[in-house]
């Protein structure tokens, strides 16, 4: 019998995926804050995709807040 704490249940997998997404979002935000961003050249993406995933034209903390804000720690 499966329970909510059983890692093989769909609910547990979903919770794990959400936790992983939160970690990714927060690490991305911290990384973006450490990078220079005073010039357009500082934040302009040099690649349009990574692993088939489209990237924004500019990468800075505002983009991360806009796209992943619901996952960021406050």
């Amino acid at each position: 019998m499966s329970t909510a704490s059983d890692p093989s249940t769909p609910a547990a997998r979903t919770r794990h995926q959400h936790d992983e997404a939160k970690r990714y979002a927060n690490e991305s935000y911290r990384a973006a804050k450490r990078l220079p961003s005073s010039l357009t050249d500082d934040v302009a993406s040099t690649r349009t995709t990574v692993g088939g995933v489209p990237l924004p034209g500019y990468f800075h903390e505002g983009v991360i807040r806009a796209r992943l804000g619901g996952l960021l720690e406050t």
Side-chain angles (χ1 to χ4, degrees):
M1 171 187 253
S2 294
T3 66
S5 62
D6 180 348
S8 66
T9 66
R13 284 192 301 274
T14 298
R15 192 169 37 259
H16 174 73
Q17 291 169 340
H18 185 261
D19 292 345
E20 286 293 305
K22 284 176 69 171
R23 279 192 283 280
Y24 171 80
N26 283 286
E27 183 56 35
S28 296
Y29 186 73
R30 285 190 295 273
K33 287 184 73 161
R34 289 190 303 264
L35 296 170
S37 62
S38 57
L39 302 172
T40 302
D41 284 349
D42 292 337
V43 297
S45 296
T46 58
R47 298 177 69 175
T48 58
T49 64
V50 171
V53 176
L55 297 176
Y58 299 98
F59 180 80
H60 54 84
E61 61 186 275
V63 170
I64 295 170
R65 270 195 318 271
R67 295 188 179 193
L68 304 176
L71 295 169
L72 295 173
E73 295 171 355
T74 55

